[in-house]
Amino acid sequence: EEHSQWRLALNLVEESRAYSVDWQQRSTYLSSLKACAQGSKYKLALELLDEKQNKFGEATAQSHAAALWACSNAGEAELTLEQFQRMQERGVHPCANSYGAVIAVCEKTSRWSTGIAMLDEMRTKGLVPNVSSYLASLNLALMAGEWDRAFSLINETRERGLHSTKDKRFDYEVPSYQESHAAEQSLHALELIQTKPSLSAFSAAISAAEKSQQWGHVLELFDDMHRIGIEPNEPIFNAAIHAAAMTKKSCLALNLLETNLTTHGTIPDDSVLDQIIWTCVSDGNWVEAQRLKKLRNSTTKTST
């Protein structure tokens, strides 16, 4: 079931059940359940879990965890919590992976109080969260406005040397072919700036630098505009705010945000606001982080 092979495993499971072929052994059930988790096939996962329980008289903590992740990945919060309780009623002690599935779905469905309670419970039992659980717990703490807890989680991840390159909430990774194309655009735009500086030339250069994640270069170009006397437009302000947040320059990001609000009366996308909030939290600037969180929530309610 490794990597993309989970799709093949899932197809095999579904086909065998469609033709009533009973080939599952004790060892293959876990692989099947993991494939269901990858594919968010929670109904099939729960059927397999019960089937294993009936056939062998037991279902391990790993099997339950895989079924929980199938429910969690599908965004089925109530069902995830129900199955979490059910496994304990069966006498199966939840592992860290099981708690991780519950914390993840709580983050996904904004159930911050339940998610934080799960984090506290697993720690009480001596279980250590993995990187994904730390990230989800940190976001839950921010949702709840528990800034001391959020700061504590950040310090804890640093002390443990934990980091993740796959945090989808703040994932600005660009495929290599796009990076190459953006680099070409950037060179062309820089030539235009040198020969005939204009708002459009700077806009093209900054856009290309942002796409290729050259955050420092975005800020340099933004400063050059001010030096030359060209007034940035709203997209350029947003790009500069984004770059300041990504380079952990919270004071600069906040100043640019206020200037943009005064000049254009607009607020950046939620993803950029989230990044500024995280930067403020990392700097221990809880007052601004809380203010931005309220601003983000107010804009979200207005848009809906």
Side-chain angles (χ1 to χ4, degrees), residues 278-298:
W278 274 58
T279 303
C280 289
V281 170
S282 296
D283 291 343
N285 194 347
W286 308 115
V287 175
E288 285 298 330
Q290 190 169 20
R291 182 179 72 85
L292 289 175
K293 180 175 175 289
K294 290 179 180 178
L295 177 64
R296 185 191 187 286
N297 291 341
S298 66

Side-chain angles (χ1 to χ4, degrees), residues 14 27 30 91 111 155 231 239 275 301:
E14 291 177 330
S27 59
L30 181 57
R111 297 168 184 253
N155 284 337
E231 186 66 27
Q275 188 61 50
K301 290 178 181 178

Side-chain angles (χ1 to χ4, degrees), residues 132-150:
S132 297
S133 293
Y134 267 118
L135 290 169
S137 300
L138 177 55
N139 208 26
L140 286 166
L142 291 174
M143 288 180 193
E146 296 194 12
W147 312 111
D148 290 339
R149 184 189 290 268

Side-chain angles (χ1 to χ4, degrees), residues 3-277:
H3 308 298
S4 62
Q5 296 301 309
W6 67 265
R7 296 183 186 275
L8 297 176
L10 193 54
N11 288 338
L12 179 61
V13 173
E14 291 177 330
E15 287 177 7
S16 65
R17 294 178 73 80
Y19 290 100
S20 300
V21 178
D22 185 11
W23 55 270
Q24 291 276 21
Q25 301 297 319
R26 191 187 299 267
S27 59
T28 61
Y29 268 104
L30 181 57
S31 295
S32 300
L33 285 164
K34 286 181 178 179
C36 289
Q38 291 282 349
S40 304
K41 298 285 188 178
Y42 66 95
K43 292 181 180 179
L44 178 57
L46 295 179
E47 288 177 8
L48 289 171
L49 188 66
D50 286 339
E51 190 176 291
K52 183 181 181 183
Q53 178 78 32
N54 294 332
K55 187 183 290 187
F56 300 108
E58 57 86 24
T60 64
Q62 285 184 314
S63 296
H64 277 281
L68 285 171
W69 271 110
C71 298
S72 178
N73 288 337
E76 295 287 336
E78 292 293 344
L79 190 57
T80 304
L81 292 168
E82 179 185 312
Q83 291 301 315
F84 184 78
Q85 181 64 33
R86 187 184 179 197
M87 71 180 290
Q88 295 178 81
E89 291 172 355
R90 285 178 167 179
V92 180
H93 297 291
C95 58
N97 202 20
S98 300
Y99 278 100
V102 177
I103 292 172
V105 80
C106 286
E107 181 205 12
K108 188 180 296 184
T109 55
S110 301
R111 297 168 184 253
W112 55 266
S113 58
T114 303
I116 289 176
M118 286 294 164
L119 175 67
D120 291 339
E121 183 179 309
M122 72 179 295
R123 282 177 157 173
T124 300
K125 294 181 178 181
L127 299 172
V128 180
N130 59 17
V131 175
S132 297
S133 293
Y134 267 118
L135 290 169
S137 300
L138 177 55
N139 208 26
L140 286 166
L142 291 174
M143 288 180 193
E146 296 194 12
W147 312 111
D148 290 339
R149 184 189 290 268
F151 189 61
S152 175
L153 285 167
I154 290 172
N155 284 337
E156 193 170 330
T157 56
R158 288 173 176 170
E159 289 171 3
R160 293 182 179 277
L162 298 174
H163 67 281
S164 174
T165 58
K166 296 182 178 180
D167 182 12
K168 298 302 180 184
R169 290 164 297 174
F170 307 109
D171 186 2
Y172 297 96
E173 188 173 346
V174 181
S176 58
Y177 75 92
Q178 289 186 4
E179 290 178 352
S180 177
H181 181 58
E184 291 177 7
Q185 288 182 318
S186 181
L187 288 173
H188 179 62
L190 288 173
E191 290 175 2
L192 289 176
I193 289 173
Q194 292 171 0
T195 57
K196 190 178 180 180
S198 66
L199 177 61
S200 60
F202 272 104
S203 180
I206 288 174
S207 176
E210 184 181 23
K211 288 178 182 176
S212 56
Q213 303 181 27
Q214 300 178 43
W215 310 118
H217 192 37
V218 170
L219 295 175
E220 289 174 5
L221 289 168
F222 186 80
D223 288 339
D224 287 343
M225 290 187 71
H226 278 287
R227 181 171 49 80
I228 295 173
I230 298 176
E231 186 66 27
N233 58 18
E234 180 188 341
I236 290 176
F237 258 111
N238 286 335
I241 293 169
H242 186 185
M246 292 301 291
T247 51
K248 311 301 182 186
K249 296 179 179 179
S250 61
C251 290
L252 177 58
L254 291 168
N255 288 335
L256 290 172
L257 179 62
E258 293 302 322
T259 303
N260 189 40
L261 279 170
T262 303
T263 306
H264 300 285
T266 58
I267 300 172
D269 294 338
D270 285 351
S271 60
V272 177
L273 277 178
D274 283 339
Q275 188 61 50
I276 302 174
I277 291 171

